[in-house]
Amino acid sequence: MALAHLAGEGRGGPWWRAAKELGGAPALLAAGEERLRAAGLSERGARSLARFSDWRRIEAQRDRCRRLGISIFPISHPQYPRLLREIADPPLVLYARGDLSVCRATVVAVVGTRRPTRYGLRTASLLGRELSAAGVVVASGLARGIDAAVHHALVPGGRGVAVLAGGLDRVSPRSNRRLAARLLEGGALLSEHPPGTAPLPGRFPVRNRIITGLAAATVVVEAAERSGSLVSARHAVEQGREVLAVPGNIDSPASQGTNRLIRDGCAPMLEIADVLAACNIPACAQTAAPAAATTVHATGEAARVAAELDREGRSVDALIEATGISGGRMLELLTELEIGGVAERLPGGLFALKDGVRLG
C-alpha cells in the first residue's frame, strides 16, 4: 500500500519491476536511495521511498477497508489476476469487494459510449447474455450506457467484474448502485484506489487500462470519434490483447470510432462466435440459442401502427404520416401498444417494436 501511494495511479510499472529486481516489496522498502535508483526508480521516486514514514496513514487505510468489508490484494498476492500483472503499468494494489477469484476464468471486457443508440444497447445486452451463458466473466466500468447494459444482461448465475475510477465506497453513478450490488452476488468490484477516493474525471481513462488488462479480449460496442472507449482499445492493443469492434451505420456518430477501428485493422465483431474464438473458447462452449420471439396480434388501427414500427424507433410525426391517423388517436394507440407489450418508448420521443416481439 505504501508503494502504491508513492507511485501514484497508472505508474506502478517501474516500482513493480524494481521490487522484482530486489527480491520483493519488503526488500524495496528497506533499500537505500542509491540501490533504488540502480533498480530503476527515478531519483524523485527513490528519495520519496527511502524517506517514507507515514505508516499511520497506511494503517488507517487498512482499518477503513476492514470496516467496509474491502479486501486488499498487493500485486505479489497469489490471487492477484495473472493477466493484469503482465501489463506494463499494473496497479500495485487492488482493492476488492466480492470474489476476485472469478478473474481466473476467461474475462472479456465490453466497453462503449455512455450515450448509446438502441442498436448499441441491443448489442451490449446480447454480449452480456451470451458471454455469461458461455461461462465468460464480463468486465466493464459500471458507467451509464453500454457498461450498465452489458452487466444488466448477465444470465442468472452469470459473473461480472466492474472496475471503478474511485474508491469502492464511492460507486458512480449513484443510479448504478443496485447493479453494483448484483455484481457482488457472483463477481467483484475492483479499484486501485483506497476507500474515500473520489471518482474524478481524470481517473477514468487511467482506470481503463485495468479493465482491458484483466481481459483476454476487449469488445468496443459503440464509440464516437473521440471517446474514452477508444482509450480502452488503445490500452488493449498496447497490452497485446485482442480487440474487436462492433460495426455500425456510417452516418451514426455513435459508430464513428468503432468503424474507424475496423478500418485501421481491428477485427469486426459480427457474432458472439467471433469473441469466443478470440479467447480460444471452443465452439462446444458457445451459448444456447436465444429464446424464440413472442408472437403478438394487434387488430384494427393498432395493427396499422404496429406494422410501421421497427427496432430503431420512429417518431410520432412519422407514424402519423405513414398511417394517416390523427395525432390524438395516435398517442392513444401507442399507449395501448405499450401496455400490450408490443411497443416501447425510447429517448427522444421515439417508439419502437419491443425486443423479442414478432407481429402475428
Side-chain angles (χ1 to χ4, degrees):
M1 292 176 70
L3 296 183
H5 170 69
L6 291 170
E9 58 190 295
R11 294 189 291 272
W15 297 72
W16 171 231
R17 289 188 286 275
K20 290 192 290 184
E21 174 76 17
L22 296 177
L28 190 68
L29 290 166
E33 284 188 45
E34 185 175 344
R35 196 174 178 206
L36 291 171
R37 288 196 298 272
L41 290 189
S42 66
E43 183 175 345
R44 180 180 179 182
R47 185 186 311 115
S48 298
L49 180 54
R51 299 178 182 181
F52 182 76
S53 61
D54 194 4
W55 295 105
R56 287 187 179 180
R57 176 175 182 169
I58 301 302
E59 191 54 40
Q61 288 180 353
R62 288 184 180 275
D63 288 343
R64 188 172 187 180
C65 287
R66 280 193 287 267
R67 292 196 304 271
L68 294 173
I70 296 171
S71 300
I72 305 169
F73 295 92
I75 192 170
S76 57
H77 195 284
Q79 288 192 46
Y80 190 99
R82 177 183 59 83
L83 287 180
L84 185 60
R85 190 185 283 127
E86 293 175 358
I87 70 174
D89 49 359
L92 297 177
V93 170
L94 274 182
Y95 297 88
R97 272 182 169 159
D99 183 8
L100 184 62
S101 69
V102 299
C103 294
R104 295 175 184 170
T106 300
V107 178
V108 168
V110 179
V111 298
T113 178
R114 289 175 170 81
R115 293 179 289 277
T117 65
R118 176 70 178 165
Y119 165 69
L121 290 174
R122 247 191 357 260
T123 305
S125 296
L126 174 73
L127 283 161
R129 183 173 64 250
E130 298 206 13
L131 289 175
S132 61
V136 173
V137 176
V138 180
S140 201
L142 205 67
R144 293 186 180 91
I146 297 300
D147 289 15
V150 72
H151 276 155
H152 273 301
L154 299 181
V155 299
R159 297 171 297 174
V161 172
V163 183
L164 276 59
L168 295 181
D169 58 336
R170 303 286 293 272
V171 173
S172 175
R174 295 172 66 92
S175 58
N176 282 343
R177 288 185 174 181
R178 277 190 189 174
L179 177 57
R182 277 182 51 199
L183 290 176
L184 292 177
E185 294 173 8
L189 301 180
L190 305 178
S191 177
E192 66 178 318
H193 298 291
T197 304
L200 301 177
R203 293 191 167 123
F204 287 86
V206 182
R207 176 278 312 268
N208 291 352
R209 83 193 193 285
I210 302 176
I211 298 174
T212 59
L214 291 166
T218 294
V219 182
V220 186
V221 176
E222 282 187 318
E225 191 169 8
R226 296 185 180 183
S227 167
S229 301
L230 300 183
V231 174
S232 297
R234 186 175 70 246
H235 283 313
V237 170
E238 292 171 351
Q239 293 161 357
R241 310 296 166 79
E242 296 287 339
V243 180
L244 301 95
V246 176
N249 291 336
I250 61 173
D251 60 352
S252 171
S255 291
Q256 287 182 358
T258 46
N259 287 341
R260 283 186 168 83
L261 284 174
I262 294 169
R263 182 196 63 189
D264 294 341
C266 179
M269 194 223 83
L270 304 180
E271 56 183 345
I272 296 297
D274 295 332
V275 186
L276 298 177
C279 300
N280 296 316
I281 297 177
C284 61
Q286 296 183 16
T287 60
T294 301
T295 301
V296 297
H297 299 274
T299 59
E301 289 181 320
R304 288 167 54 197
V305 175
E308 296 296 332
L309 295 174
D310 57 27
R311 303 291 182 186
E312 299 302 320
R314 302 193 67 186
S315 68
V316 174
D317 287 344
L319 292 170
I320 291 171
E321 183 177 351
T323 62
I325 297 172
S326 67
R329 179 59 178 155
M330 177 60 70
L331 293 175
E332 291 176 1
L333 292 168
L334 287 170
T335 300
E336 178 184 322
L337 290 169
E338 276 191 277
I339 294 171
V342 177
E344 60 183 331
R345 191 185 302 259
L346 304 181
L350 302 180
F351 288 84
L353 190 66
K354 195 168 184 179
D355 278 348
V357 167
R358 180 176 59 201
L359 296 176

